[in-house]
Amino acid sequence: MKKKYTQTKSLFDYLLIVVMLVFTSVSYAQVVLENEIKITDLGLHFDGSKVSSGATNAGDNAPYDYFFGRTISAHGDAIKTYGHYVFMTWYRGGKNDRHVMLTRYNIITGTMATIEFPHRHTGYQNQYWIGESHNTIAIGISPLDGTIHLLYDMHSYSPSRPSNGSLANDYFRYSYSVPNTATVSDSEFTLDKFVKNANDNPKHLRMPGSAAQSEFLSLTYPRFFQNDEGELLMLMREGGNNNGMFKFIKYDANTGEWGNFIDFNRLNARSQPGITYNWGLYGDMKYVNGKFRLGFQRRSSNNDDKYLYQNGVYYAYSDDQTAATGWKNYKGESFNLPLWDADPIKVMEPGDYVATTQANKVHIVGGFDWTVTANEDVHIISQVRDLENNVTKRLHTYKPSGASDFITSEDFPGGDALYTSGNELFIVGLTSSKRVFIEKAEGGTNNFTRVYEATSGRQFDHGVLHIENGKVYYYLMEDSSGSAQPLYLQIIDLDIPIPTEPTAPDNFIIEVIGETCAGMGNGTLIINGSATHDYIATIDGVNYNFTKNKTIEELSPGTYDLCIEVVGENYNHCYQVTIEEAESLTGKISVTKKSVTVSVQTGKAPYTVIKNGQQLFETYQSNFSVDVNHGDNIQVKSKEACQGEMLKTINFFENIKAYPNPTNGLFELYIPNEMETIDLEVYNIQSQLIVSKTYTVNTGKVQLNIEDKPKGIYFVKLNSKKPVFIKVIKK
């Protein structure tokens, strides 16, 4: 079994921290599509019509109608990278399924492991037949303990919302794993790694820690992010669209608990002097270049102004590593949390760039994002539409490092998301032909140029992405049809040189492969270094010299201390690794109607499934089903032949009984419900055939009558691929 181990930590020393890239010089040769991987054919999508809140259920076979928007899979904070893994969340379609799903893709091996969670999309206000695009699935990975965190299927729910109280005990949905789950082998990447509640379900009504239960009410838009120390934080909005506040909380990997929420702003702002209207906010909080930063657009409860929804662009930052204090606007002017009045941190007004002054004619929704380069260039993009004159403006607002004010340009190609790597900016999106494009510009400028554009191949409806280590990980839904549509991952190399140092805490990825078969002692340790240098690896008292990569074989099961000396430097990378003993293939094969359910408990994936001597498929899933008929032989083999196999001959009739038995001559046989007719023969003790007839199965039963036959022992033969005999005694 393969595992990845994180480095033993000292002060400021951690492995594989996921942060925004901050390299200072970038040169480009060619941006290329490195790989495209199909994640599933069954990503949930709302393919129906926009309906009202009281829409009736048209049935699970009808198109999936929705209340707000069409998108639910490959949406929100749905993709993260950690080490050589890409994690993606999705709902499984179609309309009658809706399960929360988590897929992990291994970039090195090309394998995937997927976990199905019990929870199903509950739809708008707990009406599952009305899709709810707010109810995304966010994922966070803590690099300090390897835990996985999921928040899902929420839109400001509480015991009183919906008003019928149907979510009184289900308004917050949180799942989290035990430590080091992020890097377990594919076969171990299962639902059992997620902590269960008292009802044996991996869904929790709160995050463990000191925050009061009341803090978990009325929350929407979950997002996870990390600071430079690898600490995991979570941001959500409490309240509604025009009376909402941002609040964030930090995870403590040492205790496995979350702290207390910090409120960025407050609800009911109009209760404060000088503030006429309540307001909510749409945006994001990020940690960039050693600072917490927050950018948003505001939605006011004033329904008489020219703005239909949002207005303004707002930006602030904090030098405080707790983010509780030290907040400033872009001019460096300080303010305290919680914020009541957003005007002091306002950057600009997109509504000033269109002509209309009529009520509710300035439409500002979507196309908003922001980032900060390594050089402290602040960049914000937004979009505004004049509904009176049918004019749309795409705006790029930026403040070069050292400048005192922002510049807004209307000469901007447009995009929904903005990213940075070093001092470069990237806009990644879909063209009008529904294929991927990438624009880049130098930080502090508006000089965007196209560096990549797909002109052929697959077309996509939408997607979300993550940029890490010079690569774009674009999680996309194909432009298809139905409530279950294909999801893909595109990995695009930005051709950014990634500087590495031999003493960098993330210089090494350590992989361990346990013994393949019991008693062989053939465990393997693989060291992959980023920086080329002279190293000495020491394990079990033996030294191994290498310059970049090293494979150490024939290791017996056990726990080892591994240290890698950086020759010429006063620095060691130290790890604790475990070579696991080989497992035998164990599990259960259960028959249900005309299929079997296979549950593998131990054994190395992939598993080969064979029916009647013919291979059906290979799978990394530990739980799967196979269609069968009576008499079929099912074999399940692990990757290693020495781990044995699981076998079962399918007998639909193994539990068939005659009742009453003994009988006076009139009795019934209980037959599997899926059978409509059955051929039966009755023999006496002398093997003489006395009855031969095709019977109709009625509600799972067949009635036989041998009242006219002498007392004695009889045998009922069920004619099938493998005949079954049932002994009947007539008294």
Side-chain angles (χ1 to χ4, degrees):
M1 125 179 1
K2 184 189 287 185
K3 291 189 176 183
K4 192 191 81 178
Y5 289 81
T6 56
Q7 184 174 346
T8 304
K9 301 170 187 66
S10 59
L11 187 62
F12 305 116
D13 189 14
Y14 58 90
L15 183 66
L16 293 172
I17 302 301
V18 183
V19 297
M20 186 165 290
L21 305 178
V22 293
F23 308 119
T24 56
S25 63
V26 179
S27 62
Y28 288 85
Q30 189 177 12
V31 178
V32 296
L33 174 63
E34 187 176 282
N35 202 358
E36 180 179 274
I37 308 100
K38 178 184 283 190
I39 305 303
T40 180
D41 283 313
L42 300 175
L44 184 66
H45 188 66
F46 306 141
D47 63 324
S49 303
K50 189 177 178 70
V51 297
S52 65
S53 60
T56 57
N57 188 355
D60 288 351
N61 294 323
Y64 205 159
D65 296 331
Y66 58 93
F67 188 80
F68 289 103
R70 299 169 53 245
T71 303
I72 187 63
S73 293
H75 189 42
D77 191 27
I79 178 170
K80 296 287 170 59
T81 59
Y82 178 66
H84 56 265
Y85 296 107
V86 185
F87 296 81
M88 293 153 286
T89 65
W90 49 288
Y91 289 98
R92 189 171 61 202
K95 185 179 178 180
N96 62 342
D97 193 327
R98 312 184 315 281
H99 279 92
V100 170
M101 309 293 289
L102 172 63
T103 293
R104 187 188 71 179
Y105 173 71
N106 189 321
I107 298 170
I108 296 175
T109 65
T111 59
M112 285 188 295
T114 296
I115 299 174
E116 173 191 320
F117 289 79
H119 184 84
R120 305 167 73 189
H121 176 56
T122 51
Y124 177 77
Q125 298 281 316
N126 207 23
Q127 302 169 94
Y128 84 85
W129 57 93
I130 305 176
E132 173 55 283
S133 58
H134 289 81
N135 294 21
T136 58
I137 311 170
I139 180 168
I141 313 292
S142 170
L144 300 181
D145 65 359
T147 51
I148 302 171
H149 303 259
L150 299 176
L151 286 165
Y152 47 93
D153 208 23
M154 289 178 278
H155 186 192
S156 195
Y157 300 142
S158 72
S160 59
R161 188 174 187 273
S163 58
N164 61 10
S166 59
L167 296 181
N169 297 305
D170 193 25
Y171 51 84
F172 187 79
R173 288 97 180 241
Y174 169 63
S175 294
Y176 64 104
S177 75
V178 299
N180 300 315
T181 297
T183 55
V184 298
S185 66
D186 285 350
S187 61
E188 295 176 296
F189 192 73
T190 61
L191 187 63
D192 338 350
K193 294 294 188 292
F194 283 79
V195 178
K196 306 298 194 299
N197 62 23
N199 297 318
D200 199 36
N201 190 299
K203 181 172 62 174
H204 301 264
L205 196 62
R206 58 170 294 117
M207 304 169 96
S210 55
Q213 186 63 50
S214 58
E215 295 280 5
F216 299 95
L217 304 176
S218 304
L219 299 180
T220 313
Y221 301 126
R223 300 192 69 84
F224 292 96
F225 63 103
Q226 297 168 18
N227 64 16
D228 283 344
E229 296 303 315
E231 295 173 313
L232 184 67
L233 295 101
M234 185 274 290
L235 172 77
M236 292 192 78
R237 186 194 74 188
E238 180 180 338
N241 65 320
N242 58 14
N243 188 16
M245 71 175 186
F246 276 161
K247 54 196 293 184
F248 55 95
I249 191 171
K250 186 169 69 175
Y251 175 69
D252 188 340
N254 294 317
T255 64
E257 295 188 342
W258 294 80
N260 289 307
F261 282 96
I262 297 174
D263 299 339
F264 179 80
N265 63 307
R266 280 280 196 245
L267 300 173
N268 304 310
R270 69 177 182 181
S271 65
Q272 299 301 300
I275 302 175
T276 308
Y277 298 100
N278 291 331
W279 53 276
L281 59 180
Y282 291 79
D284 199 4
M285 187 175 191
K286 306 173 186 179
Y287 185 90
V288 190
N289 299 348
K291 295 180 174 64
F292 287 92
R293 307 170 192 261
L294 195 147
F296 64 91
Q297 293 184 306
R298 184 172 66 169
R299 184 177 293 187
S300 172
S301 63
N302 180 8
N303 295 320
D304 297 322
D305 61 11
K306 66 180 182 178
Y307 301 101
L308 181 61
Y309 296 116
Q310 278 87 266
N311 79 285
V313 167
Y314 302 80
Y315 170 78
Y317 67 91
S318 171
D319 297 309
D320 177 11
Q321 295 305 295
T322 70
T325 64
W327 282 92
K328 301 177 179 68
N329 64 12
Y330 76 89
K331 298 176 183 179
E333 298 167 343
S334 298
F335 65 93
N336 296 323
L337 300 186
L339 187 68
W340 294 97
D341 185 2
D343 284 344
I345 65 170
K346 190 172 184 177
V347 171
M348 55 85 68
E349 179 54 70
D352 293 344
Y353 289 82
V354 293
T356 184
T357 59
Q358 295 185 18
N360 298 323
K361 291 297 183 180
V362 179
H363 184 279
I364 303 177
V365 174
F368 174 79
D369 199 14
W370 61 272
T371 193
V372 182
T373 71
N375 199 39
E376 287 292 314
D377 310 299
V378 182
H379 292 262
I380 305 170
I381 60 175
S382 57
Q383 180 176 294
V384 56
R385 186 180 177 191
D386 183 332
L387 299 178
E388 179 187 0
N389 301 297
N390 195 27
V391 173
T392 298
K393 298 286 186 69
R394 294 173 177 87
L395 307 175
H396 178 208
T397 301
Y398 59 101
K399 187 173 79 69
S401 179
S404 58
D405 224 330
F406 279 85
I407 303 164
T408 294
S409 173
E410 300 177 53
D411 182 21
F412 172 60
D416 291 329
L418 190 64
Y419 303 89
T420 187
S421 178
N423 288 328
E424 302 287 344
L425 294 171
F426 295 93
I427 293 174
V428 186
L430 299 176
T431 65
S432 58
S433 63
K434 301 182 178 183
R435 295 186 177 95
V436 178
F437 78 90
I438 300 175
E439 302 262 356
K440 82 171 181 78
E442 188 74 19
T445 75
N446 187 53
N447 303 322
F448 285 92
T449 59
R450 188 152 296 194
V451 295
Y452 175 85
E453 181 178 345
T455 57
S456 62
R458 210 174 309 278
Q459 295 178 295
F460 299 100
D461 182 82
H462 65 273
V464 292
L465 64 111
H466 179 77
I467 292 183
E468 183 70 22
N469 291 334
K471 294 185 180 181
V472 174
Y473 299 89
Y474 207 170
Y475 182 31
L476 296 147
M477 175 168 278
E478 188 175 8
D479 187 30
S480 185
S481 62
S483 61
Q485 299 188 15
L487 294 169
Y488 286 84
L489 171 67
Q490 285 196 355
I491 303 176
I492 302 171
D493 189 348
L494 295 174
D495 196 49
I496 300 174
I498 308 298
T500 56
E501 295 291 337
T503 58
D506 59 350
N507 183 42
F508 292 108
I509 293 176
I510 310 298
E511 295 186 357
V512 176
I513 302 175
E515 76 174 346
T516 56
C517 299
M520 294 189 66
N522 62 344
T524 301
L525 178 66
I526 303 171
I527 305 171
N528 292 298
S530 297
T532 300
H533 193 82
D534 289 330
Y535 304 104
I536 301 173
T538 303
I539 185 170
D540 204 24
V542 180
N543 293 338
Y544 301 87
N545 296 289
F546 68 103
T547 57
K548 189 173 177 64
N549 304 312
K550 184 66 180 178
T551 299
I552 304 171
E553 299 177 314
E554 305 303 318
L555 294 172
S556 298
T559 299
Y560 299 86
D561 290 324
L562 167 68
C563 279
I564 304 173
E565 177 187 350
V566 182
V567 179
E569 303 281 348
N570 186 23
Y571 193 90
N572 283 347
H573 300 263
C574 289
Y575 311 84
Q576 190 174 78
V577 297
T578 299
I579 304 293
E580 295 191 354
E581 292 184 279
E583 299 176 327
S584 297
L585 182 64
T586 64
K588 185 178 181 181
I589 302 177
S590 305
V591 181
T592 306
K593 293 186 176 181
K594 286 195 172 185
S595 69
V596 294
T597 300
V598 181
S599 298
V600 180
Q601 295 176 344
T602 61
K604 190 171 184 178
Y607 309 111
T608 302
V609 182
I610 301 167
K611 183 168 73 173
N612 300 328
Q614 300 293 316
Q615 180 174 328
L616 298 181
F617 56 86
E618 280 190 349
T619 181
Y620 281 85
Q621 302 302 308
S622 57
N623 295 279
F624 53 88
S625 297
V626 180
D627 293 334
V628 293
N629 292 307
H630 177 72
D632 285 346
N633 292 305
I634 299 297
Q635 294 173 273
V636 180
K637 298 181 177 181
S638 73
K639 182 179 180 180
E640 305 295 340
C642 59
Q643 294 187 357
E645 61 184 11
M646 298 164 59
L647 300 170
K648 189 173 184 66
T649 298
I650 307 306
N651 183 1
F652 289 161
F653 310 119
E654 59 186 348
N655 295 318
I656 288 184
K657 306 290 184 184
Y659 182 83
N661 191 14
T663 176
N664 290 322
L666 189 66
F667 62 94
E668 292 178 333
L669 296 179
Y670 292 85
I671 308 295
N673 287 329
E674 65 271 10
M675 300 190 67
E676 297 179 355
T677 62
I678 188 168
D679 294 330
L680 298 178
E681 296 176 351
V682 181
Y683 293 84
N684 61 21
I685 193 68
Q686 288 82 33
S687 300
Q688 296 172 321
L689 177 66
I690 61 173
V691 177
S692 180
K693 183 178 177 181
T694 299
Y695 290 82
T696 299
V697 180
N698 185 16
T699 63
K701 295 183 290 186
V702 170
Q703 191 175 76
L704 288 87
N705 190 345
I706 54 172
E707 290 177 318
D708 60 339
K709 306 300 180 185
K711 297 179 181 178
I713 297 174
Y714 295 83
F715 295 93
V716 181
K717 178 184 178 184
L718 286 73
N719 287 317
S720 61
K721 186 176 180 180
K722 289 199 171 184
V724 175
F725 291 87
I726 300 169
K727 180 180 176 181
V728 177
I729 299 174
K730 184 182 178 187
K731 58 186 180 180

